[in-house]
Amino acid sequence: MTIDRIVFAFAGTVVLVSLALSQWHDPAWLWLTAFVGANLLQAAFTNLCPLAMALNRFGARLGLRAH
């Protein structure tokens, strides 16, 4: 998998898990959902994603798309 696919999968998983935890445990878990959303939004504008930078350091390959 490429870095962009891993980031999408990780973000989606964290959102779904935090939504489930907010229903089963405590609504405060929605703050995790808000954090992931805010991080995705800032990454769209700044092109700085902590997870993508970490994956790059660990040798994951970049996702290059032909347009």
Side-chain angles (χ1 to χ4, degrees):
M1 287 178 71
T2 60
I3 289 176
D4 56 339
R5 299 248 179 191
I6 295 170
V7 169
F8 291 148
F10 185 80
T13 300
V14 171
V15 166
L16 291 175
V17 167
S18 68
L19 287 173
L21 286 170
S22 74
Q23 294 299 307
W24 295 329
H25 186 349
D26 188 344
W29 281 101
L30 292 174
W31 285 106
L32 181 58
T33 304
F35 173 76
V36 171
N39 193 28
L40 289 170
L41 185 62
Q42 73 81 23
F45 290 105
T46 64
N47 204 26
L48 295 173
C49 176
L51 179 58
M53 290 186 289
L55 290 169
N56 191 28
R57 283 190 186 155
F58 287 118
R61 62 186 171 104
L62 295 174
L64 302 175
R65 297 181 185 163
H67 293 288

